[in-house]
Amino acid sequence: MKAKIQVVLCKCCTEIPSVLRLESLSKLASESNNVMSVMTVDAICDGKQLAPVMNDVKQKELDRAVVLACHKKDVSPTLLRAYRRAGVNEFMVELVNIREEVVLPHANEPERAQAKAEAKLRAALARSLMLQPLERQTEEMKTRNVVIIGAGVAGQAAAKEAAKAGAHTVVLEKSGKTLKVPGVVMQHSTLVGAEGYGGNLKLKIRAGEKVESLDAAALVIATGGGWTQLKGSLAKAVKDAVPLYKLNEQVQVDAPIKGPVVVVDSPDPSGKTMAVQDFAWDETLETVVELKKKHPETEIWVVFQEMRAFGLSELVYKEAADAGIKFIRYDKGGVPKADPKNPGVLSVRDFSQGEQLNIRFGTLAFASIPANPDNRLIAEVLRIPMAADGGIRRGSIQRWPVSTPRPGVFVCGSALFPKSREAAEAEGEAAGAMASAFVKRGTIEFGGVVAEVEQEKCSACLTCVRTCPYEAPFIGAAGKAEIRIQACQGCGMCVGICPSKAIELRNYTDDQIMIETRTLLGGDF
Amino acid sequence: MIVAKRKPLGEIVEMLAPYQKITVIGCRSCVAICLAGGEKEVKMLVSALKIKNRKEGRKQQIDGFVVERQCEKEWVKEVEERILDSDVTLSMACSLGAQTIGDMYPKHLTFPGLNTGMFGVPEEQGVWSEKCIGCGNCIIHTTGGICPIARCAKSMLNGPCGGSANGKCEVNLEVDCAWVAIYDRLKLQNRLDLIENFTPAKDWSTSHSGGRRIYVREDAKLSQHQKKGKEAVQ
């Protein structure tokens, strides 16, 4: 059957026509092969303007579309849904970003912008003819369990929220602490293995001496942070340093605190440990202000490398400075040091004055919560990426703040990076809600853009099996690689590395990519 | 498997510069698996050559594909036309593949695209290490399963030598001393007594020293009669 393309040009209100001549793009489109219809709309993101576009599709029985508009993320879900209803497979809709990629960067050079837009249109039309419709498949979830790892602040919040939404919760807690959280609590338990994929996960849990298996539909990582001891030269000289949270507790319960008090911003100022996060700053500022209020006579110093007092914390900083708390900034050239022969003195070079200071202290506290060492084990078991500072990496700070790249696996609280109790609680609730929403779907959707093996070409070299972060490829009964499509995330890593070019990613096949590239750049290569 | 490495692009470009029509042929066996000369590498090299030619204004016709095993005549025969249609063939197989094509078509030019290195094993994704040099007389049952010929820089039979320090080799401080590895393995197997054994000089006549080696298996060879029959069928 002959391909029938619809081309849609979006004006983005007035932004796009202010740089591009849409009539000439429209003419180029209408003169191209297989283009049956060209439409110009004011704003494709406006639901009302979709109706005539979709009517056109139905009337002319079009089977594919090229839409020139803005960033994919802004338009795609609604647009693709509309096309699906109008009978066009969503993988046959080609989106071209002429706003962020053409109009905005070339606002002052309309001729170049026009040429770029035309090249992109030609490439998209060439690719459009190579597209194949793809279908997604579904599988029933076999359980409704939401498993939460860690019963700290974030974990408890997640369990409560998930249970409130009707999910069956199982909380794994490493220690023996008893908890009032809904659902099952497994004490002295840790996650040691995971097979399957979000929706139908088979977990292996070590509970005490035994290893048990547990089915889970979704998983929330709430392992929390971990404290370290003072390290490096400071540790050798100061034996009784207290972590910031201990100092905070002492202040709260009015325990006697020996002045003067010095708070250092890192457990290892001369080492590679990252300087404290914004949270630790909030905690530091609140602690010292409270301490100063309760003991106005105590001299307080805060020794820091980089101050990060965001938002309203700025006011707390001002309050602290007004109360006479001294803030001393240092840099790598003059890190705080202590000499065992001269106990009770911290020497540091004041960066702003260039002056060496010897600060006498009664109590030395240090801020910073490094990441929980359990994170690494859990990330390995679940095969999810870690962030550089030792936390679990989240999907995207704006769009998926409590998700991991693995569907059905969520993360919250200090497992991501150190944060305050309030923030951990809020994230816990969010992760609990996300997990229960995921479970409530009852089915897993997969397929579409997934890898596919051409078995004749496969030499069973295991390269894909070793490379895939999701354990999607395996060597099947025929002695050739196969893809577990429920696990495949369509990332294309196996496709890129396969030495025999036996794997292709659907919707991004070599042919589809090459025709687009060749049209854009011209020539054979 | 046989482990090889692609020659630097500059060297390949220089080799091919005088010719017009070039055929690049990869191999789907060892060199595909060690990421040196499979279909992906062939396609990438062809693209790289085309891009370089376009940048430098050189005109060449370059085509690339793979065969199942380039060291076997039958597979090469299948692409005979494409080979002979070109001015030069760049073999992306190990030297065995390149020489097979060369022997089959002695008038035709066949150049190597890879440097064939060793018999190696993939230690992890992207890392290969040499473990055998094909000496033709295996002794690893006496050395805890570790070959001192391949893995010791001096191929010592009674080791370690005085240059072994902290488990590393004096020839290259990043390389583990094979004899320390042998000691550790024998200890693990409760066979440390073996390290006391003196091993006299090895019979090297089975190795490369005697010139090209040819292995024959009489029972597998076709008889004159069978050969004639095959010819008749063809």
Side-chain angles (χ1 to χ4, degrees):
Chain A
M1 205 179 77
K2 193 183 164 212
K4 293 182 185 171
I5 309 177
Q6 179 193 49
V7 176
V8 180
L9 301 162
C10 175
K11 287 187 186 167
C12 193
C13 300
T14 56
E15 198 152 20
I16 290 174
S18 71
V19 177
L20 296 175
R21 295 187 306 278
L22 286 188
E23 346 48 274
S24 113
L25 280 177
S26 164
K27 187 160 172 279
L28 171 68
S30 55
E31 286 166 0
S32 304
N33 288 343
N34 297 70
V35 174
M36 298 294 158
S37 156
V38 182
M39 297 191 90
T40 307
V41 295
D42 283 335
I44 195 91
C45 54
D46 174 4
K48 280 180 234 149
Q49 299 188 26
L50 283 175
V53 175
M54 299 309 151
N55 283 339
D56 180 60
V57 167
K58 283 185 227 160
Q59 235 168 39
K60 298 183 181 149
E61 293 182 336
L62 307 176
D63 71 334
R64 58 194 78 200
V66 172
V67 181
L68 283 74
C70 58
H71 196 284
K72 234 179 215 181
K73 283 176 179 168
D74 295 332
V75 285
S76 74
T78 330
L79 186 66
L80 295 182
R81 212 176 305 128
Y83 271 113
R84 200 155 48 214
R85 282 203 210 108
V88 176
N89 186 284
E90 63 181 282
F91 297 99
M92 306 284 275
V93 181
E94 189 59 17
L95 300 173
V96 184
N97 182 352
I98 52 165
R99 187 173 177 268
E100 282 88 350
E101 290 175 12
V102 178
V103 167
L104 299 187
H106 303 291
N108 297 323
E109 34 187 13
E111 282 317 309
R112 283 185 72 188
Q114 189 73 25
K116 190 170 173 184
E118 283 175 8
K120 283 172 87 73
L121 172 61
R122 274 195 206 98
L125 286 170
R127 177 177 149 84
S128 176
L129 291 175
M130 303 291 289
L131 294 178
Q132 293 289 330
L134 302 178
E135 294 305 329
R136 289 187 202 275
Q137 288 153 270
T138 54
E139 184 181 300
E140 290 285 314
M141 291 185 190
K142 294 185 189 78
T143 166
R144 293 290 155 99
N145 284 349
V146 172
V147 173
I148 294 138
I149 311 173
V153 175
Q156 290 185 33
K160 282 178 194 154
E161 193 63 30
K164 217 189 327 177
H168 181 223
T169 55
V170 181
V171 181
L172 310 183
E173 169 55 38
K174 201 164 82 166
S175 76
K177 69 176 165 190
T178 44
L179 297 158
K180 280 191 195 144
V181 289
V184 182
V185 179
M186 297 173 74
Q187 290 166 331
H188 303 290
S189 62
T190 47
L191 180 73
V192 292
E195 273 174 32
Y197 31 86
N200 282 325
L201 282 162
K202 279 200 183 308
L203 307 178
K204 281 212 162 55
I205 290 154
R206 189 190 308 279
E209 302 284 286
K210 291 177 298 187
V211 175
E212 293 175 23
S213 53
L214 177 66
D215 287 345
L219 193 74
V220 177
I221 305 168
T223 42
W227 296 89
T228 53
Q229 296 302 309
L230 211 53
K231 283 190 239 170
S233 74
L234 280 184
K236 286 191 197 110
V238 189
K239 297 291 172 204
D240 53 358
V242 290
L244 181 65
Y245 82 101
K246 277 250 170 75
L247 181 69
N248 194 314
E249 275 172 19
Q250 287 168 0
V251 173
Q252 298 300 334
V253 300
D254 290 323
I257 295 165
K258 203 175 151 206
V261 176
V262 175
V263 182
V264 183
D265 70 341
S266 159
D268 185 15
S270 54
K272 282 184 189 153
T273 315
M274 237 175 79
V276 287
Q277 308 268 359
D278 42 340
F279 139 72
W281 268 113
D282 292 353
E283 201 92 338
T284 305
L285 292 171
E286 276 161 26
T287 308
V288 291
V289 165
E290 187 87 13
L291 179 63
K292 194 72 183 173
K293 266 188 204 153
K294 287 187 172 167
H295 308 277
E297 72 296 346
T298 306
E299 203 182 327
I300 305 172
W301 302 73
V302 176
V303 178
F304 69 99
Q305 194 169 178
E306 192 183 346
M307 167 76 75
R308 299 189 197 175
F310 288 107
L312 294 178
S313 301
E314 183 74 28
L315 298 175
V316 189
Y317 166 69
K318 195 166 179 301
E319 196 182 343
D322 288 346
I325 293 164
K326 297 186 187 82
F327 289 86
I328 304 297
R329 183 173 169 202
Y330 68 90
D331 71 346
K332 281 285 169 207
V335 295
K337 282 182 190 133
D339 185 352
K341 286 180 211 133
N342 191 9
V345 175
L346 184 81
S347 76
V348 59
R349 197 174 63 115
D350 182 348
F351 176 73
S352 49
Q353 307 289 325
E355 192 182 337
Q356 194 69 29
L357 298 178
N358 289 315
I359 307 168
R360 188 158 289 284
F361 62 83
T363 304
L364 182 84
F366 57 95
S368 156
I369 307 183
N372 190 334
D374 289 351
N375 282 348
R376 185 158 297 281
L377 303 173
I378 286 175
E380 266 169 30
V381 164
L382 292 169
R383 308 198 67 145
I384 51 175
M386 306 219 7
D389 56 5
I392 302 288
R393 181 159 6 133
R394 56 171 133 212
S396 144
I397 183 134
Q398 295 97 341
R399 291 165 53 78
W400 307 108
V402 293
S403 301
T404 68
R406 257 188 104 153
V409 178
F410 304 92
V411 57
C412 56
S414 295
L416 282 158
F417 61 83
K419 56 179 61 75
S420 67
R421 197 181 176 86
E422 292 77 19
E425 216 159 43
E427 279 185 5
E429 284 173 6
M434 289 287 283
S436 56
F438 180 83
V439 171
K440 268 196 175 167
R441 285 190 226 153
T443 53
I444 317 155
E445 207 179 61
F446 53 87
V449 180
V450 291
E452 201 172 20
V453 181
E454 193 183 324
Q455 295 211 333
E456 272 194 3
K457 282 184 158 189
C458 172
S459 29
C461 68
L462 297 164
T463 305
C464 54
V465 178
R466 290 184 192 127
T467 305
C468 176
Y470 306 103
E471 292 185 329
F474 63 101
I475 305 295
K480 303 279 182 182
E482 290 175 33
I483 306 288
R484 227 177 254 115
I485 59 168
Q486 294 92 330
C488 179
Q489 302 301 311
C491 70
M493 280 172 76
C494 59
V495 181
I497 195 95
C498 173
S500 302
K501 293 206 70 64
I503 317 180
E504 290 249 55
L505 188 62
R506 290 187 195 163
N507 213 34
Y508 296 92
T509 64
D510 275 8
D511 288 348
Q512 290 166 351
I513 292 172
M514 286 311 280
I515 197 150
E516 195 178 350
T517 323
R518 284 197 179 114
T519 316
L520 271 176
L521 305 178
D524 172 35
F525 48 86
Chain B
M1 74 181 103
I2 293 172
V3 181
K5 236 190 209 174
R6 202 196 75 194
K7 283 182 176 289
L9 189 62
E11 198 181 325
I12 294 176
V13 169
E14 204 178 309
M15 223 189 274
L16 301 176
Y19 307 98
Q20 284 306 308
K21 244 180 153 183
I22 295 153
T23 302
V24 181
I25 310 182
C27 175
R28 291 171 31 79
S29 292
C30 312
V31 292
I33 291 166
C34 72
L35 315 184
E39 185 169 338
K40 180 188 158 197
E41 296 298 323
V42 168
K43 285 195 166 163
M44 276 172 51
L45 179 70
V46 169
S47 275
L49 289 171
K50 283 182 181 174
I51 290 168
K52 200 157 169 61
N53 281 352
R54 203 171 139 184
K55 269 179 77 182
E56 294 169 5
R58 207 179 7 242
K59 285 219 154 39
Q60 279 177 326
Q61 191 187 324
I62 307 170
D63 188 20
F65 54 91
V66 286
V67 294
E68 187 65 33
R69 275 189 300 279
Q70 218 181 92
C71 55
E72 292 182 311
K73 289 183 189 129
E74 291 87 340
W75 295 113
V76 174
K77 188 88 183 158
E78 284 192 357
V79 294
E80 182 176 85
E81 264 177 42
R82 296 174 82 175
I83 292 173
L84 297 178
D85 191 35
S86 64
D87 299 339
V88 60
T89 297
L90 184 78
S91 166
M92 290 279 279
C94 65
S95 167
L96 303 180
Q99 293 187 48
T100 302
I101 300 179
D103 290 345
M104 286 170 72
Y105 312 108
K107 270 175 85 180
H108 179 78
L109 299 183
T110 305
F111 292 167
L114 305 184
N115 288 324
T116 308
M118 59 189 184
F119 300 150
V121 297
E123 296 289 356
E124 56 175 279
Q125 178 70 19
V127 179
W128 295 268
S129 76
E130 181 171 28
K131 293 205 166 152
C132 173
I133 63 162
C135 75
N137 186 4
C138 197
I139 54 158
I140 63 169
H141 55 294
T142 65
T143 54
I146 291 166
C147 173
I149 309 293
R151 287 163 75 169
C152 165
K154 300 173 183 174
S155 296
M156 294 189 60
L157 282 170
N158 300 283
C161 71
S164 169
N166 303 320
K168 298 289 174 186
C169 171
E170 67 172 339
V171 174
N172 180 350
L173 288 179
E174 280 174 19
V175 170
D176 290 332
C177 170
W179 276 98
V180 169
I182 291 171
Y183 177 91
D184 290 344
R185 180 77 61 83
L186 288 174
K187 194 171 168 187
L188 196 71
Q189 298 176 345
N190 275 330
R191 301 203 298 163
L192 257 189
D193 52 305
L194 283 176
I195 208 138
E196 304 265 325
N197 287 357
F198 169 71
T199 312
K202 193 168 173 295
D203 174 8
W204 285 98
S205 65
T206 56
S207 184
H208 174 68
S209 327
R212 175 149 81 125
R213 288 170 277 179
I214 295 173
Y215 283 8
V216 181
R217 205 168 131 168
E218 291 297 345
D219 61 337
K221 279 180 80 178
L222 297 185
S223 66
Q224 286 304 323
H225 182 66
Q226 282 170 316
K227 276 186 193 165
K228 266 192 194 139
K230 273 199 87 171
E231 272 162 28
V233 172
Q234 276 163 5

